[in-house]
Amino acid sequence: MKRIALLGATGSIGRQALEIIDAHPELELCALAAGSQRQEAERVAAERRVRHLSVGGDPPLDELVAASEPDVVLNAVVGFAGLPATLAALEAGIDLALANKESLVAAGDLALSAQRRGGGRILPVDSEHSAAFQCLEERAPASVDSLVLTASGGPFRGRPRDELASVTPAEALAHPTWSMGPKITIDSATLMNKGLELIEAHFLFGLPYDRIEVVVHPSSIVHAMVRFRDGATLAHLGYPDMRVPISYALTYPERAATPIAPLDFSAGLRLEFAPPDLEAFPCLALARAAGEAGGTAPCILNAANEVAVTAFLAGALPFLGIAEVVERTLAAVDGAPARDLADLVAVDEEARRVAASLSRELVH
Ligand SMILES: NC(=O)c1ccc[n+]([C@@H]2O[C@H](COP(=O)([O-])OP(=O)(O)OC[C@H]3O[C@@H](n4cnc5c(N)ncnc54)[C@H](OP(=O)(O)O)[C@@H]3O)[C@@H](O)[C@H]2O)c1
């Protein structure tokens, strides 16, 4: 039996994880957390006789993790709110199935120190990182030439910058290949999602930024590729369905069966790749620069992006304003490294204040 604490159980990843857990008697749900959907969380917990439940941060996620004694924490909370659970799992040496990329982006150094102390594993749930993890098979970074992350390009792929000024939240939420929660769907439309993934990959695999490339691959069949120093490239392919990486992380290292069909080549398969358009989608370049700058720049980038995406979804900021708010927040807030979690939380709060004020300024 493997005991699973599922955080973010009412969301897109959370619901798909429940499907996987329900289908495997050897996976036992021991704790659940949700944000605002109390009734739904209570229903899911009652149906599965789960005793440890947190809604809206009560009890705090780190306390929930400690009390429920899981073997694996699946962190599928959205945003910086997932950070305490990431740190708690790593500090306690519990395996962390990580969907919540924002925690690793904002607190990569703190998270890796916690992991070194605790000794647990990070099993990536993000499809690209799960793919890279499988291609890498824990080989040393020295054997790797470079990592290639694929991006679908989102709903606005191919559109020039000036056509993006008036796009609406409804248009941005219509993702061509993946069905996901609203925040990551907007991040995919701006390519910030790929920027966050770039930083996530840097921390997960210990590769410098100049050895991580992003390419646009519209059909989302190839999830990641690793070029090795001997000239070989390994790619991970499959239909875009998050149940595959969720199942891989929860049943690691067994690779349990899922209901998802393997690739069918009988109708032919074309794989196309192109470089991203950084002028139309500046968030990717902003994320790369923040990652390279290090310190708390990725935390500031993430906080400003969360604020700007919320404003865009509320109709209070134009689409192109998201990158502008992020860029100006990065310029305004000091990105010196955080000594501890309190330092980091203070930087996150400062970046949110600045980004909220810039968002208001941009529309008046
Ligand atoms: N969806 C995907 O396909 C996908 C793919 C790769 C990576 N990810 C990553 O996985 C994470 C979740 O994405 P998602 O698409 O599943 O998002 P989502 O559908 O918006 O779900 C977010 C979940 O987080 C919960 N939550 C929010 N604030 C919380 C808090 N303070 N405490 C506890 N729970 C809280 C929500 O609860 P309520 O609904 O009850 O408010 C919900 O269960 C994100 O970091 C995303 O980048 C998602």
Side-chain angles (χ1 to χ4, degrees):
M1 288 300 270
K2 222 186 234 186
R3 289 166 59 80
I4 315 283
L6 174 56
L7 316 179
T10 46
S12 164
I13 293 287
R15 287 190 304 272
Q16 295 177 83
L18 286 171
E19 199 187 304
I20 299 290
I21 294 167
D22 288 347
H24 290 286
E26 69 277 18
L27 300 178
E28 180 192 345
L29 198 58
C30 66
L32 280 173
S36 56
Q37 300 188 61
R38 175 173 293 281
Q39 266 195 342
E40 175 63 5
E42 286 176 351
R43 186 188 66 76
V44 171
E47 265 179 19
R48 293 164 179 82
R49 297 196 181 84
V50 175
R51 283 191 305 119
H52 297 279
L53 174 67
S54 164
V55 182
D58 179 26
L61 297 185
D62 46 353
E63 287 178 21
L64 181 83
V65 168
S68 57
E69 299 183 348
D71 299 306
V72 180
V73 171
L74 170 48
N75 189 351
V77 171
V78 62
F80 192 76
L83 179 58
T86 285
L87 294 179
L90 293 174
E91 201 72 67
I94 301 167
D95 282 353
L96 174 65
L98 186 66
N100 175 262
K101 62 191 86 183
E102 294 92 343
S103 55
L104 201 58
V105 168
D109 292 323
L110 294 179
L112 294 186
S113 309
Q115 186 190 18
R116 274 192 292 275
R117 285 190 296 272
R121 292 178 289 207
I122 305 181
L123 302 164
V125 170
D126 230 341
S127 58
E128 298 76 0
H129 303 73
S130 174
F133 180 82
Q134 292 172 55
C135 292
L136 282 163
E137 290 184 310
E138 295 180 273
R139 288 184 192 89
S143 68
V144 175
D145 171 80
S146 51
L147 166 63
V148 183
L149 301 174
T150 55
S152 71
F156 306 133
R157 178 177 57 82
R159 295 233 212 146
R161 182 179 166 81
D162 56 3
E163 276 185 25
L164 299 179
S166 57
V167 297
T168 64
E171 290 171 294
L173 284 170
H175 196 279
T177 51
W178 292 100
S179 164
M180 310 177 284
K183 194 257 177 185
I184 183 175
T185 307
I186 301 305
D187 287 346
S188 300
T190 61
L191 287 201
M192 180 59 94
N193 183 47
K194 217 45 59 179
L196 299 176
E197 289 180 7
L198 179 68
I199 300 172
E200 184 186 10
H202 163 78
F203 286 115
L204 279 175
F205 305 121
L207 289 170
Y209 287 96
D210 61 2
R211 285 163 58 199
I212 311 174
E213 186 184 345
V214 171
V215 297
V216 173
H217 168 54
S219 57
S220 302
I221 295 288
V222 176
H223 304 305
M225 292 171 276
V226 180
R227 300 186 188 103
F228 289 95
R229 63 182 170 190
D230 61 359
T233 298
L234 295 190
H236 180 289
L237 284 75
Y239 295 118
D241 191 315
M242 285 307 295
R243 289 173 298 176
V244 177
I246 294 169
S247 174
Y248 183 82
L250 292 184
T251 65
Y252 181 82
E254 268 136 48
R255 201 187 276 280
T258 73
I260 295 96
L263 279 183
D264 176 6
F265 297 98
S266 63
L269 185 65
R270 290 174 66 114
L271 301 176
E272 290 175 31
F273 303 92
D277 177 350
L278 297 179
E279 199 203 330
F281 303 101
C283 284
L284 178 54
L286 288 171
R288 186 177 283 279
E292 280 168 351
T296 48
C299 173
I300 297 164
L301 171 100
N302 176 66
N305 181 58
E306 287 189 27
V307 169
V309 168
T310 303
F312 171 69
L313 282 170
L317 186 70
F319 184 75
L320 294 176
I322 297 174
E324 191 169 345
V325 166
V326 172
E327 183 171 14
R328 289 174 61 183
T329 306
L330 277 164
V333 179
D334 181 9
R339 283 159 302 182
D340 52 25
L341 182 59
D343 247 16
L344 190 83
V345 169
V347 172
D348 172 78
E349 285 171 358
E350 167 71 356
R352 279 169 203 271
R353 264 194 304 277
V354 171
S357 145
L358 285 168
S359 301
R360 285 191 296 272
E361 215 177 88
L362 271 178
V363 285
H364 291 299

